[in-house]
């Protein structure tokens, strides 16, 4: 099995190094090859997603991705900005199904900004469509407005669109995921305003006919944003389009206390995937050794489960992370009174120690 390692920018290299350490400690004989991506690749190759990096990603069985982006690239033309690397990988590899679990670990209940009783035991799964919607819809651009009350002024526009097969395949993914969980899917739309999302709602309802054992509810995105902070435990699987999923998954992440804890998987139709933490490149803390590597380590666990067919190794990694939290180790983002503040590398070392049965020095 070959894994493409794409560390990227900001804290990416630091957190990916810890996940690589954890994968190596499992001694599964995984082959790993690294390549530049994002701003780092722009510096070395003049493009955020060089041909060589894309070729490696295509050839690999799975991809471990850190993060991309830095304010210093904001002035570049869009096609050369770091974000184009992750968007390009998703599109070129057909990674249409994005799994973003939001799980509140028992030890971190108090790290959430919501009342502990609202988030204790929280376990929801956001399934975000990742290769369509207004993110990729054509046409888009800037022009002089041809009509309307502002005709003759500069304007910009994007296109929101979804085809039936795109909605069908993500709906199947959501219903199948719900079958392995609590059997409920909330499809989030804006059918009251948008044609695209009335269609989304209709197609999801059509697919549901094949899953009578799963409960389906439809919810408008504004209400979903509200219910997520009012009664988050009422959700099981949430399925939605690319843009609403981008926004709701960040909101759901904060329910758990820290986005630094949340992994994600982006899968194609055959289960090949790209695995990355749900958080970004955090350039403000890059290189300081304080970033939380657990989201990336947990992403590696998702990789073992979904793309490498090693569920027992995935369980071992997840249990090691729980053991480290139980021992009281915390990076700054999840630190609270009475716990031991550790850096990125110490956190990774502690997970490796837990994996290999060594005692964790904590509190
Ligand atoms: C995410 C990020 C990306 C997105 C950015 C970096 C392009 O916010 O993965 O959620 O909007 O999809
Ligand atoms: Mg986002």
């Amino acid at each position: 099995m070959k894994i493409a390692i794409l560390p990227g920018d900001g804290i990416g290299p630091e957190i990916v190094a810890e996940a690589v350490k954890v994968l190596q400690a499992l001694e599964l004989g995984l082959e790993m090859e690294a390549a530049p991506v994002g701003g780092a690749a722009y510096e070395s190759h003049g493009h955020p997603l060089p041909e060589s990096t894309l070729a490696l990603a295509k050839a690999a069985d799975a991809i471990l991705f850190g993060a991309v982006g830095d304010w210093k690239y904001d002035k570049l033309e869009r096609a050369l900005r770091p974000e184009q690397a992750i968007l390009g990988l998703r599109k070129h590899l057909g990674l249409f199904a994005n799994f973003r679990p939001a799980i509140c670990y028992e030890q971190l209940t108090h790290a959430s900004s919501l009342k502990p009783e609202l988030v204790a035991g929280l376990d929801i799964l956001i399934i975000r469509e990742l290769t369509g919607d207004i993110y990729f819809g054509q046409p888009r651009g800037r022009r002089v407005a041809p009509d309307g009350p502002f005709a003759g002024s500069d304007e910009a526009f994007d296109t929101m669109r979804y085809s039936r097969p795109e909605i069908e395949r993500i709906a199947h993914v959501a219903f199948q995921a719900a079958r392995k969980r609590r059997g409920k899917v909330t499809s989030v739309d804006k059918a009251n305003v948008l044609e695209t999302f009335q269609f989304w709602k209709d197609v999801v309802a059509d697919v549901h006919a094949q899953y009578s054992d799963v409960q389906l509810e439809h919810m408008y995105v504004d209400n979903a944003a509200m219910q997520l902070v009012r009664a988050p435990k009422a959700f099981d699987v949430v399925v939605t389009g690319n843009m609403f999923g981008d926004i709701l998954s960040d909101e759901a992440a904060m329910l758990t206390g820290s986005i630094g804890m949340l992994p994600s998987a982006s899968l194609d139709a055959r289960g090949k995937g790209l695995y990355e933490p749900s958080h970004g490149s955090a350039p403000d803390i890059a290189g300081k050794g304080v970033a939380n590597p657990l989201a990336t380590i947990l992403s590696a666990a998702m990789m073992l489960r979904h793309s490498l067919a090693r569920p027992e190794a995935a369980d071992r990694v997840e249990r090691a992370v729980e053991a480290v939290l139980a021992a009281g180790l915390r990076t700054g983002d999840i630190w609270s009174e009475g716990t031991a503040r550790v850096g990125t590398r110490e956190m990774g070392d502690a997970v490796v120690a837990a994996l290999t049965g060594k005692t964790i020095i904590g509190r």
Side-chain angles (χ1 to χ4, degrees):
M1 288 289 194
K2 182 163 182 174
I3 305 172
I5 307 288
L6 311 184
D9 306 322
I11 58 172
E14 299 160 60
I15 54 178
V16 166
E18 299 311 311
V20 166
K21 222 157 69 180
V22 169
L23 285 171
Q24 279 164 346
L26 291 167
E27 297 184 349
L28 300 172
L30 301 170
E31 192 191 328
M32 302 191 217
E33 188 178 335
V37 75
Y42 173 73
E43 303 287 354
S44 63
H45 289 66
H47 194 278
L49 182 57
E51 279 301 328
S52 50
T53 299
L54 182 57
L56 173 68
K58 281 185 172 160
D61 297 292
I63 301 149
L64 185 65
F65 189 95
V68 291
D70 195 312
W71 304 298
K72 67 181 180 211
Y73 303 112
D74 283 357
K75 294 244 151 45
L76 286 177
E77 63 173 283
R78 183 170 301 283
L80 295 178
R81 287 193 212 161
E83 291 75 15
Q84 293 306 310
I86 185 66
L87 296 172
L89 282 165
R90 289 171 183 170
K91 196 68 182 175
H92 286 296
L93 300 180
L95 306 172
F96 71 93
N98 184 213
F99 287 69
R100 296 193 168 181
I103 294 170
C104 189
Y105 287 83
E106 196 192 317
Q107 292 88 0
L108 301 183
T109 309
H110 291 272
S112 173
S113 50
L114 293 198
K115 294 191 197 97
E117 63 268 27
L118 283 184
V119 294
L122 181 79
D123 176 2
I124 63 186
L125 174 62
I126 299 205
I127 297 185
R128 168 188 177 194
E129 198 291 327
L130 207 55
T131 52
D133 202 354
I134 197 164
Y135 266 58
F136 293 98
Q138 294 290 341
R140 56 186 279 162
R142 291 185 185 215
R143 64 182 174 189
V144 173
D147 48 26
F150 299 101
S153 309
D154 289 346
E155 69 169 14
F157 63 104
D158 296 274
T159 303
M160 179 177 272
R161 57 194 288 182
Y162 264 123
S163 63
R164 181 177 290 274
E166 280 178 293
I167 304 169
E168 281 174 351
R169 65 183 181 177
I170 197 73
H172 282 291
V173 168
F175 290 126
Q176 281 162 23
R179 266 188 182 158
K180 298 192 201 134
R181 296 170 49 96
R182 298 188 297 280
K184 181 179 170 190
V185 170
T186 304
S187 171
V188 172
D189 62 60
K190 190 70 188 174
N192 49 345
V193 178
L194 300 171
E195 211 52 57
T196 312
F197 275 90
Q198 178 63 57
F199 185 58
W200 170 283
K201 182 175 179 178
D202 295 345
V203 175
V204 171
D206 289 348
V207 174
H208 181 234
Q210 298 170 49
Y211 298 88
S212 55
D213 53 322
V214 178
Q215 184 197 340
L216 171 65
E217 78 180 344
H218 300 280
M219 197 178 279
Y220 296 143
V221 62
D222 49 350
N223 186 24
M226 183 169 74
Q227 298 306 329
L228 266 175
V229 288
R230 194 188 71 88
K233 283 189 260 183
F235 293 99
D236 178 15
V237 173
V238 173
V239 65
T240 189
N242 204 345
M243 184 161 66
F244 298 158
D246 177 44
I247 300 165
L248 294 181
S249 62
D250 267 29
E251 189 189 5
M254 274 326 288
L255 303 173
T256 70
S258 173
I259 198 167
M261 292 298 300
L262 297 183
S264 81
S266 305
L267 304 181
D268 74 2
R270 281 157 286 117
K272 170 169 171 169
L274 178 149
Y275 299 82
E276 58 173 326
S278 281
H279 60 72
S281 55
D284 51 326
I285 58 165
K288 297 191 176 147
V290 299
N292 186 348
L294 293 178
T296 317
I297 291 170
L298 291 166
S299 299
M302 287 186 94
M303 171 191 290
L304 290 162
R305 181 171 293 117
H306 294 288
S307 290
L308 304 181
R310 301 303 295 255
E312 72 305 329
D315 288 344
R316 276 181 68 199
V317 173
E318 287 163 358
R319 277 199 306 271
V321 168
E322 281 163 24
V324 163
L325 292 175
L329 268 56
R330 304 281 189 275
T331 42
D333 58 314
I334 51 176
W335 182 84
S336 60
E337 209 63 56
T339 61
R341 189 191 288 264
V342 297
T344 311
R345 200 171 302 156
E346 291 159 279
M347 191 58 119
D349 288 342
V351 175
V352 169
L355 262 183
T356 47
K358 301 207 183 77
T359 331
I360 307 160
I361 317 292
R363 202 174 280 181

